[in-house]
Amino acid sequence: MVRVRVQCPFEGCAGMGTFETDPDSEVVTREKGHVELDKFQKVGKQLLSGTIVKEEHLRCPDDEAHRFTVLVEL
């Protein structure tokens, strides 16, 4: 497992959320708010069929009101 840092997607915010994941995984997208995996298609994010993904729900360390979701391809 490795620790990954992801920038907060809120405009003008430089905060970096962190989470642990597999070393070969790749961050696919990040969205503002708490977004469930099945809702990503509704916000216009298409996933390649057959890929294994997981969602990480993060809170920005700079502004606790900034919550965001990161989709990670394993």
Side-chain angles (χ1 to χ4, degrees):
M1 297 296 263
V2 295
R3 200 114 182 98
V4 177
R5 293 170 46 95
V6 179
Q7 184 170 355
C8 177
F10 285 82
E11 190 171 326
C13 185
M16 299 290 280
T18 62
F19 64 95
E20 285 191 1
T21 189
D22 294 29
D24 295 331
S25 63
E26 178 181 344
V27 173
V28 177
T29 187
R30 51 197 171 104
E31 293 291 334
K32 297 176 187 173
H34 185 104
V35 182
E36 296 296 329
L37 187 59
D38 61 347
K39 306 269 191 222
F40 270 94
Q41 286 187 316
K42 293 180 182 174
V43 294
K45 301 296 179 188
Q46 297 296 320
L47 302 176
L48 298 174
S49 60
T51 58
I52 300 172
V53 295
K54 70 174 181 173
E55 60 202 53
E56 293 285 344
H57 302 287
L58 307 176
R59 179 181 290 159
C60 177
D62 290 2
D63 187 336
E64 289 199 6
H66 291 178
R67 293 173 187 242
F68 60 101
T69 303
V70 177
L71 193 63
V72 181
E73 183 179 347
L74 302 177

